[in-house]
């Protein structure tokens, strides 16, 4: 009898331990730990940035893209088959590289070193990054669609939505876009708000089937935990519902470059009536493989979004947008003071207002050309505005932005 009681007690103890272990595995701390482990891949080398970021140099074949089931046996395309004509013909623009063997510092983490060949630099996700998100499932994801200049619902202006000041083209088939984007550090009022400047490659409708590829710079305290200006990308194939993410916070974008980190701080930044700095971004569709490639500056082909991620963009884009976006959370019923661009209106001009210049599209013959029929759009021009133009030096350009809340913007 004593033996039976001992066996029963032992079984009860094992069951209790199993229950405790299962409960621990379901605890918030355990879920955070597992999510961090999925996001942060083993590093060959780690570099500490002056802004507190840790950049992990991860072997190219171990990056998050290969968590996607369709990419498990994917052979990495190490270079595009085609570049749009004119890609390297940037003699009128400020060069982004220096002569000789010295490499330019275009991101803050470069002050701490560089990643070796065969690796990709990935900004390490920290526990606090996850805890700031509304949920781990939503971490790294947008909550709003792109600007639809063809259909504006005035009710959205009073629902703490997103506001834009953009230039756009539509009505043709587009196979890419390019722009030189002035870089600033706009002030953000609320931690859950952001300000960004980017280009959008769009396909489908603005309903639940929107395909979008996006790249530019952003200030987002909620996503990054600070007010630094950072390079970013985004993609979605279902209007920001279940697919896609910022940077490489999910499986999707395949990075091949060892020098530029998605989500890392850009350096240096423009100042009002002072030095002006800009970045060049181009996204184009490789006509042979069908993948959408991204280039940063003149020297950095960063990687690609595989064509199978998309439905409409599997063929071409139907609209291109360039410009700024902010979140207006309408705290206490008043408009946010979060700035767009430099925080100044377009009419102030160079060194005071933010700009996009040399905006171009890629046509069906894989050539860069000036966009035709450029339109502009903003929900509230007394808060954020846009003014476009054209000249020999800047090609097709526009100034955009504004301060948000003011005596004219309530």
């Amino acid at each position: 009898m004593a033996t039976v009681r001992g066996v029963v007690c032992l079984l009860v103890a094992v069951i209790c331990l199993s229950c405790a272990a299962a409960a621990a595995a379901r605890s918030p701390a355990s879920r955070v730990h597992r999510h961090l482990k999925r996001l942060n891949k083993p590093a060959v080398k780690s570099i500490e940035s002056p802004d507190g970021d840790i950049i992990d140099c991860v072997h190219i074949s171990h990056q998050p893209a290969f968590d996607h089931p369709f990419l498990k046996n994917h052979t990495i395309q190490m270079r595009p088959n085609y570049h749009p004509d004119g890609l390297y013909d940037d003699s009128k623009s400020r060069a982004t590289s220096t002569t000789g063997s010295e490499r330019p510092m275009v991101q803050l983490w470069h002050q701490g070193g560089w990643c070796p060949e065969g690796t990709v630099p990935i900004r390490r996700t920290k526990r606090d990054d996850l805890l700031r998100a509304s949920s781990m499932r939503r971490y790294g994801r947008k909550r709003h669609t792109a600007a639809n200049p063809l259909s504006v619902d005035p009710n959205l202006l009073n629902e703490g939505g997103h506001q834009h000041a953009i230039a756009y083209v539509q009505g043709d088939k587009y196979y890419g876009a390019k722009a030189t984007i002035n870089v600033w550090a706009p002030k953000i009022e609320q931690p859950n708000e952001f300000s960004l400047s980017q280009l959008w490659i769009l396909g489908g409708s603005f309903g639940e089937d929107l395909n979008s590829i996006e790249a530019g710079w952003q200030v987002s305290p909620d996503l990054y935990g600070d007010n630094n200006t950072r390079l970013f990308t985004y993609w979605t194939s279902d209007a920001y519902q279940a697919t896609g993410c910022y940077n490489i916070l999910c499986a999707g974008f395949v990075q091949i470059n060892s020098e530029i980190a998605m989500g890392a701080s850009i350096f240096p930044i423009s100042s009002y009536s002072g030095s002006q700095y800009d970045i060049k971004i181009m996204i184009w569709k490789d006509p042979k493989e069908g993948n959408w490639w991204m280039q940063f500056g003149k020297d950095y082909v960063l990687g690609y979004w595989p064509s199978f991620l998309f439905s409409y963009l599997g063929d071409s884009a139907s609209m291109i947008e360039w410009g700024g976006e902010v979140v207006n959370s309408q705290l206490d019923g008043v408009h946010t003071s979060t700035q767009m661009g430099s925080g100044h209106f377009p009419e102030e001009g160079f060194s005071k207002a933010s700009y996009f210049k040399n905006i171009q599209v890629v046509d069906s013959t894989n050539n860069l050309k000036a966009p035709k029929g450029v339109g502009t759009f903003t929900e509230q021009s007394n808060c954020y505005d846009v003014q476009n133009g054209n000249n020999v030096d800047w090609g097709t350009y526009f100034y955009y932005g504004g301060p948000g809340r003011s005596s004219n913007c309530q």
Side-chain angles (χ1 to χ4, degrees), residues 5-239:
R5 281 200 301 270
V7 170
V8 171
C9 290
L10 182 60
L11 288 172
V12 170
V14 169
I15 291 170
C16 290
L17 287 172
S18 299
C19 292
R26 292 192 299 269
S27 71
S30 294
R31 291 200 302 272
V32 168
H33 177 76
R34 288 196 301 273
H35 203 67
L36 288 174
K37 193 172 181 179
R38 283 195 298 270
L39 290 171
N40 297 323
K41 306 301 183 182
V44 173
K45 174 183 177 181
S46 295
I47 299 168
E48 187 169 354
S49 174
D51 60 2
D53 280 355
I54 303 294
I55 303 298
D56 289 325
C57 306
V58 175
H59 192 277
I60 192 169
S61 63
H62 296 160
Q63 62 183 292
F66 296 100
D67 292 340
H68 197 292
F70 287 1
L71 288 172
K72 290 294 184 183
N73 300 309
H74 178 73
T75 300
I76 300 173
Q77 189 180 349
M78 291 306 296
R79 56 169 294 163
N81 291 292
Y82 297 95
H83 285 111
D85 292 343
L87 178 60
Y88 295 107
D89 184 19
D90 284 323
S91 57
K92 292 182 181 178
S93 301
R94 179 180 60 82
T96 57
S97 61
T98 59
T99 57
S101 60
E102 182 184 358
R103 291 189 283 189
M105 284 194 291
V106 294
Q107 291 190 305
L108 203 56
W109 68 274
H110 291 157
Q111 295 181 17
W114 299 80
C115 284
E117 288 294 322
T119 67
V120 294
I122 299 177
R123 178 184 180 271
R124 185 184 299 176
T125 299
K126 300 175 182 178
R127 180 175 177 272
D128 286 348
D129 294 333
L130 292 181
L131 295 180
R132 281 192 306 274
S134 59
S135 70
M136 279 187 285
R137 187 180 65 85
R138 293 300 306 171
Y139 172 66
R141 291 182 173 176
K142 277 190 177 184
R143 303 172 186 169
H144 190 74
T145 62
N148 183 1
L150 308 180
S151 176
V152 181
D153 181 355
N155 293 324
L156 292 178
L157 301 180
N158 301 314
E159 293 181 359
H162 294 217
Q163 292 190 254
H164 309 81
I166 64 167
Y168 68 94
V169 290
Q170 55 93 30
D172 201 351
K173 287 190 172 184
Y174 307 100
Y175 296 85
K178 183 181 180 183
T180 299
I181 310 173
N182 198 197
V183 180
W184 292 83
K187 292 182 174 62
I188 311 298
E189 180 179 345
Q190 299 297 325
N192 65 333
E193 297 177 336
F194 66 62
S195 181
L196 59 76
S197 296
Q198 67 171 60
L199 58 85
W200 289 260
I201 311 287
L202 300 169
S205 70
F206 284 87
E208 295 184 354
D209 61 355
L210 183 72
N211 289 197
S212 182
I213 295 173
E214 307 166 23
W217 60 258
Q218 70 178 161
V219 178
S220 177
D222 190 48
L223 184 59
Y224 302 107
D226 59 29
N227 291 298
N228 290 355
T229 303
R230 296 171 177 272
L231 175 69
F232 84 96
T233 61
Y234 200 92
W235 72 273
T236 180
S237 61
D238 63 354

Side-chain angles (χ1 to χ4, degrees), residues 287-307:
K288 183 177 180 181
E289 300 289 340
N291 300 325
W292 288 88
W293 284 83
M294 176 179 172
Q295 177 147 330
F296 177 79
K298 291 177 65 177
D299 303 320
Y300 305 108
V301 175
L302 301 189
Y304 58 93
W305 291 269
S307 59

Side-chain angles (χ1 to χ4, degrees), residues 335-354:
H335 196 286
T336 183
S337 62
T338 287
Q339 299 174 336
M340 181 189 293
S342 68
H344 294 263
F345 284 113
E347 54 265 29
E348 292 194 42
F350 184 74
S351 83
K352 296 177 181 177
S354 189

